[in-house]
Amino acid sequence: MRPTTFASVLLAASIILPAVHAPTYGATPSGKPAGKDGYRAAPLPAGIWSPDQGDGTYINPILAGDYSDPDVVRVGEDFYLTASSFTNVPGLPVLHSKDLVNWSLLGYALEKNVPEAHHAVPRHGGGVWAPAIRHHDGRFHIYYPDPDFGIFMVSATDPKGPWTAPVLVDDAKGAIDPAPFWDDDGQAWLVHGFAGSRAGFKNVITLKKMSADGKRTLPGEKRIIDGDRLPKVATSQGPMPWFTTEGPKLYKRNGWYYVFVPSGSVKGGWQGVFRARHIEGPYEGRNVMDQGDTPINGPHQGAWVDTPAGEDWFVHFSDADSYGRRVYLQPMQWGADDWPLIGVRQGKAPYGAPVTRHRKPNVAVQPVSVPVTSDEFDDGYHLGWQWMANPMADWVDTSVKGHLRLKAVSSPANLWEAGHLLTQKLPGMTFSATTAITLKPGGQAGERAGLVAYGYDYAWIGLENTVAGQRLVHVTRLKADLGVNGGKIQQGSETVLTAPVEVKGPVHVRLSFTPVQVAEPAPEVPHYWHSMLRSTHARVTASYSVDGVNFQPLGTPFITQPGRWVGTQVGLFAQAPGGTPSYTATRAGHAEFDYFRFGR
């Protein structure tokens, strides 16, 4: 799990989603490849993305939002998905589907990141890494790692909750990507990988026994996969060494134990599978899906799941940079030799390539649905919102109905260091986000509030209180993380542009997103997939309106960047920034947001 892309339905905003035509790449509805000349990375249609085409087919991604490192379990006729949440709170989203294509957000399994004091400020790149969800003995269990503290488990009888408080199952340094497994004899097992940044090594999968209740690992462990010691594996780019092997999921079928593991890094990797007759090995492995000639990079980290009718499918993510790690659905088949193949077979090779368009799983018909997006704040804020750190009780006034009231929280001026941002995942590729802001300062100059596009670089449009009164501003900050991601500390600073308008009441502000592709240098390796030569970001323009109808542009276009292991996020905030009189004022003001709507 490492660096980060992306109708019939709609919500309160009354947005009409477009009829969607197949992008000009991938596969035909039958699943057959469209041909090498057909692979062009066309953007998704404008608006909120819905994968269900209404004709028995779907188009990937099945989730345009940034649900990184997805894992899926089936219980009866229902499918449940969870994903990484990193520093965002609440964490461990739990989604539900009846057909693996249409998903709704049920809630979260983790109210706050633990230890709570440590996560009271944003821990970008920390927090909840790749989880696994299983159903055993009448309960749902989610195992997740925080690479700085260990492997935790939460459980519930109902996926909507309540979920138990996290239990520390294993405190191995740098342990990541855990997955539990209960064998036929009742013995509980745990497999996991390692983060080189914490453990000092990686490319290793370890197997451990657990107590029967799955709450603690037992003494003793065994390295069942050591990528550095393995022979090269066949891929569409030729023989490749196993490296960055991680994200294990352990299953059993026909007397074989299978460990599904991605390898080769996020954008340049493939999906591997290892198998053995005995759970402790020895294991043999192969590549079962790689990018081939498609634009779907990775494909990386995911889950095998079957249907009540006996079909097999694979859910994984593909990295779209600023648009996050989007979730894809691939057909999967088992050969007579008991090896799986994911996607569409590449010639006569034992591995497949991912599909873009395919028939839907043979399950009960489900209405078209997407996770919640727009919000009228009729009764608080909806499940799609997350904070950047464990929230304080007074960050939002929950007694207010009909609009969102956020406290002007004292924090560093650089929003990268502010935990009180309330954000959402990007719902598509070409879209707008609009809100109306009223700023009610506590009496001191310096308080501000806005609508933000947020990552390593960020930009926002909103209101600021000054000694001369309120002003409408467009603010950008490049290298908000101080350039740490680039390996060199660089102090970013704000650029502020003031609109030529008098602020007398609520101001409507809008950020409009359009995808752009940026060329990347070729990797310094002999063989690589072409997806590594480009990154996908968004060109964001800001505009404002005093009447909610006529919008005027403000500032120059801004090119997004992802965050640490996540895509760009869009959200709302109110702040008393450091270095202003309001930072230590006795009274704190607040901002009110009348609505939040996604459009085309």
Side-chain angles (χ1 to χ4, degrees), residues 240-553:
M240 301 278 278
W242 293 92
F243 64 98
T244 319
T245 306
E246 56 187 9
K249 301 294 191 300
L250 179 57
Y251 308 99
K252 190 176 186 180
R253 178 185 183 274
N254 287 352
W256 289 97
Y257 294 91
Y258 293 90
V259 182
F260 282 55
V261 290
S263 190
S265 78
V266 173
K267 277 195 170 183
W270 59 90
Q271 182 61 42
V273 168
F274 287 79
R275 72 177 188 181
R277 283 297 187 185
H278 302 282
I279 194 168
E280 294 183 291
Y283 282 84
E284 56 179 336
R286 65 166 57 172
N287 165 29
V288 297
M289 178 176 63
D290 66 37
Q291 179 177 335
D293 287 328
T294 78
I296 302 173
N297 68 55
H300 207 74
Q301 196 150 333
W304 163 38
V305 65
D306 65 2
T307 69
E311 292 183 344
D312 297 289
W313 296 85
F314 188 74
V315 177
H316 68 96
F317 81 78
S318 182
D319 187 350
D321 309 295
S322 285
Y323 286 92
R325 296 170 168 188
R326 305 183 301 183
V327 181
Y328 285 64
L329 178 64
Q330 305 297 338
M332 176 175 151
Q333 57 186 301
W334 289 93
D337 59 357
D338 282 323
W339 280 105
L341 182 142
I342 301 174
V344 177
R345 187 181 298 275
Q346 298 189 45
K348 296 182 179 180
Y351 46 80
V355 302
T356 296
R357 186 168 191 166
H358 199 273
R359 68 165 180 83
K360 293 172 58 178
N362 181 22
V363 293
V365 175
Q366 176 181 345
V368 172
S369 61
V370 295
V372 287
T373 52
S374 298
D375 202 339
E376 296 299 315
F377 306 122
D378 290 333
D379 187 18
Y381 54 91
H382 66 50
L383 290 173
W385 296 97
Q386 293 172 288
W387 300 99
M388 279 291 163
N390 288 340
M392 299 293 288
D394 64 348
W395 284 1
V396 59
D397 188 340
T398 56
S399 68
V400 174
K401 309 298 180 183
H403 53 262
L404 178 70
R405 179 178 292 177
L406 296 182
K407 176 184 176 181
V409 178
S410 294
S411 66
N414 184 351
L415 294 179
W416 183 257
E417 303 173 55
H420 55 86
L421 272 66
L422 191 60
T423 66
Q424 288 196 45
K425 306 173 189 302
L426 304 189
M429 296 193 78
T430 303
F431 64 91
S432 65
T434 309
T435 190
I437 307 175
T438 301
L439 179 61
K440 297 185 177 181
Q444 298 291 335
E447 292 181 344
R448 57 193 193 175
L451 169 67
V452 63
Y454 183 83
Y456 289 134
D457 299 346
Y458 67 75
W460 62 273
I461 181 171
L463 300 177
E464 181 178 37
N465 186 46
T466 73
V467 293
Q470 292 189 33
R471 60 177 185 168
L472 175 64
V473 295
H474 179 248
V475 179
T476 59
R477 186 187 287 266
L478 306 184
K479 295 181 172 54
D481 69 327
L482 306 184
V484 173
N485 183 57
K488 182 180 180 181
I489 302 297
Q490 302 176 62
Q491 179 64 55
S493 59
E494 287 188 350
T495 299
V496 182
L497 179 66
T498 302
V501 60
E502 184 179 1
V503 178
K504 293 183 177 180
V507 176
H508 303 262
V509 293
R510 174 176 293 165
L511 294 176
S512 299
F513 292 68
T514 305
V516 294
Q517 285 200 345
V518 177
E520 300 288 355
E524 295 180 355
V525 293
H527 304 288
Y528 56 85
W529 282 274
H530 57 83
S531 67
M532 300 178 75
L533 299 179
R534 63 179 182 270
S535 292
T536 305
H537 300 293
R539 180 179 183 269
V540 180
T541 56
S543 56
Y544 68 92
S545 172
V546 294
D547 60 10
V549 177
N550 300 297
F551 281 79
Q552 303 297 321

Side-chain angles (χ1 to χ4, degrees), residues 1-5 65-68 317-318 324-327 565:
M1 46 166 255
R2 320 288 141 223
T4 86
T5 194
D66 183 10
Y67 290 97
S68 180
F317 81 78
S318 182
R325 296 170 168 188
R326 305 183 301 183
V327 181
W565 312 138

